Amino acid sequence: MATNVKGITLKRVTLGVKDPNKINKTILLVGETGTGKSTLINTLVNYAIGVEWEDDIWFQIVEDEKKNQSEIQTSDVIVYEIFEGKTLPYSLTIIDTPGYGDTKGTEKDATVDQRLFQLFRLSDGVHEITAVGLVLKAGVNRLSDRLRYIFNSVMSLFGNDMEKNIVALLTHSDGVTPEDVLEALKDANFKCAKDEDNEPFHFMFNNRQSKQKTKKYKAALKATWDLTKDQMGQFTDYLKETSPQNLKITVDVLDIRTGLAACIQNLQERMELTELKQREIKQTQKALKKHEEEMKSNENFTVDVDQPYTCTVPVNEGRWWALGLNYGGAVTCNECKENCHYPCRLAWYPEHCEVIKDGRCTVCTGKCPLSDHVNEKWIYVTTTRKVKKTLQDLKEKYVKNKAGSESKMSLLETLEKEMDRLQKEKDQLLSESFQHVIKLEQIALNVDSLSTHAYVDYLIEKMTEKGDTEKVQKLKEMKGRIDKDKGLKSAMLYSRVKKDSGKSSMK
């Protein structure tokens, strides 16, 4: 069964009939294609319904990754609901996130976050998670840049209360202690549940349960079956004893992160417009001072200035209509003439966009009502054009409609006052964005995520120009952590590669 809500497809596969009196445990699985995630899901299902070695039967509800790789790379989040189980005292929900780190371009990876976000917010969706399982091969002796990228993406999804519910699920195991992969997890500074020896909580599974039991290899296959059954028992016992985490903080983290991205992007655009206005005033002031005497005797004297103006440019190239996704669309404000959220991947209609709260926008200058917003195939951009201004033009622009003492000021004094007003506006925009970053740091499990660093760089530059040393120091501390985090540096490297490959595929 598949449901489509706000442009996002949520596929559900259900086994059995739900018992409202039975508690439920939910697992979120994340990992690279090819690690055996599909086999692990099938193994969980067969274990839950009580399939034994002697039964000579194997139920396969998930297709092999290698056979169906192209579909896996483009499909949405899939929810498997196991209500019929003989070996478990609870029902089981498995959330599969295919495609992390495998699709072309980081924009497509970002939709995994959006799909999960939507699933967590739906009234009939998932509202708590018992465990997040990072699936990787037991033979891994180092974490690739791609794997570190995936880990970073996952950890940045959750609030700081989720750490003790994250475990490693090791596939293709021969039963030997996976020292290399455990060391690799430590080296990556992977935040997860720890056992009594302070080792990452992990469970090992073999991937040969569905193999035909030939006489020649029957003993070996029986040994791998027993290993997986034992570890599956330990894992399901772990789920039984583990308290689920409510996803409210997770939703808050994703909500704030979306708001942060939209706020800073909007801030940068408004900042650019403000700085262009300041440049125009400086040009005007310079011309007035240089030709002050000449202008007194010649009302038609003109000055050349770079006048900022706003226009629109199309952005419809990136939309994926065929897949029911909304890459590239923009939620814009007709009143403020601003971009409120771009690219908006969920908003087929503005009311679906995450920056619209309680019928109003949380991003645009006027915090305007929903009715002023549209979802378009274009965005607003600011540029300049050379224009000639007469003294009368300047008076009309900067002095006209000024009341009281302001109207009596000289044009130069009026321009200086306007410069001060624009500077205060810039300072307020910076302050709002800084507070977004601080709030994210307080609740996020992994504030040093790929998305956050791009914003921090911009804020450091602008806060330095402002001379706010205290805030600059705080931001530099956040940025400095990347130099000590090899995992994040690798993830950023892989992210840049994916961005480049994404751009190439669009040509």
Side-chain angles (χ1 to χ4, degrees), residues 263-430:
C263 174
I264 294 186
Q265 184 166 312
N266 179 271
L267 158 71
Q268 290 173 326
E269 293 165 0
R270 287 157 65 183
M271 186 81 69
E272 179 185 358
L273 177 58
T274 300
E275 290 174 344
L276 289 175
K277 288 179 180 178
Q278 288 180 315
R279 187 172 78 175
E280 180 188 7
I281 290 175
K282 288 179 181 178
Q283 289 175 341
T284 304
Q285 288 174 318
K286 184 177 179 180
L288 287 175
K289 291 175 181 177
K290 184 176 181 180
H291 303 284
E292 187 174 5
E293 292 301 319
E294 187 177 353
M295 295 188 76
K296 286 179 181 179
S297 59
N298 182 7
E299 283 284 329
N300 294 320
F301 183 84
T302 62
V303 297
D304 292 327
V305 294
D306 296 311
Q307 183 182 62
Y309 72 100
T310 300
C311 60
T312 60
V313 296
V315 295
N316 60 325
E317 180 183 40
R319 290 198 172 200
W320 279 27
W321 302 111
L323 296 179
L325 301 176
N326 190 35
Y327 293 105
V331 173
T332 61
C333 179
N334 287 333
E335 181 66 25
C336 299
K337 305 299 181 188
E338 292 175 4
N339 306 313
C340 303
H341 192 197
Y342 166 72
C344 185
R345 301 176 179 87
L346 295 182
W348 288 92
Y349 303 99
E351 59 263 34
H352 296 162
C353 180
E354 297 98 321
V355 303
I356 302 295
K357 304 292 183 184
D358 300 321
R360 304 192 77 87
C361 180
T362 60
V363 172
C364 63
T365 299
K367 304 296 186 284
C368 300
L370 171 63
S371 56
D372 290 330
H373 291 76
V374 291
N375 185 15
E376 294 290 357
K377 300 179 183 179
W378 45 259
I379 58 172
Y380 289 106
V381 296
T382 298
T383 185
T384 61
R385 55 192 167 201
K386 283 283 186 184
V387 297
K388 291 184 180 294
K389 293 280 189 180
T390 65
L391 185 59
Q392 186 59 34
D393 291 334
L394 296 173
K395 287 180 178 180
E396 287 185 359
K397 180 173 182 178
Y398 295 109
V399 181
K400 189 178 180 181
N401 298 325
K402 296 288 183 181
S405 60
E406 288 191 6
S407 62
K408 299 175 184 178
M409 290 190 297
S410 70
L411 182 54
L412 281 171
E413 289 175 321
T414 303
L415 292 174
E416 193 62 42
K417 193 172 184 66
E418 179 66 7
M419 283 286 284
D420 290 341
R421 186 192 69 79
L422 291 173
Q423 187 59 50
K424 289 177 181 178
E425 182 178 299
K426 285 172 59 177
D427 292 345
Q428 180 60 34
L429 294 172
L430 278 171

Side-chain angles (χ1 to χ4, degrees), residues 136-144 147 180-182 184:
L136 63 161
K137 292 183 178 181
V140 168
N141 55 22
R142 62 174 295 275
L143 301 189
S144 66
L147 203 51
D180 288 342
V181 71
L182 294 180

Side-chain angles (χ1 to χ4, degrees), residues 204-245:
M204 301 180 292
F205 309 99
N206 196 275
N207 287 60
R208 297 189 179 93
Q209 284 71 36
S210 61
K211 298 294 183 182
Q212 186 176 1
K213 299 171 187 176
T214 60
K215 183 177 180 181
K216 185 176 181 181
Y217 299 110
K218 192 170 185 178
L221 290 173
K222 178 64 165 61
T224 61
W225 179 286
D226 291 341
L227 164 69
T228 297
K229 180 180 178 181
D230 173 73
Q231 290 288 292
M232 193 61 71
Q234 291 189 38
F235 179 49
T236 53
D237 285 346
Y238 165 83
L239 293 176
K240 179 182 177 181
E241 300 300 325
T242 300
S243 298
Q245 290 295 328

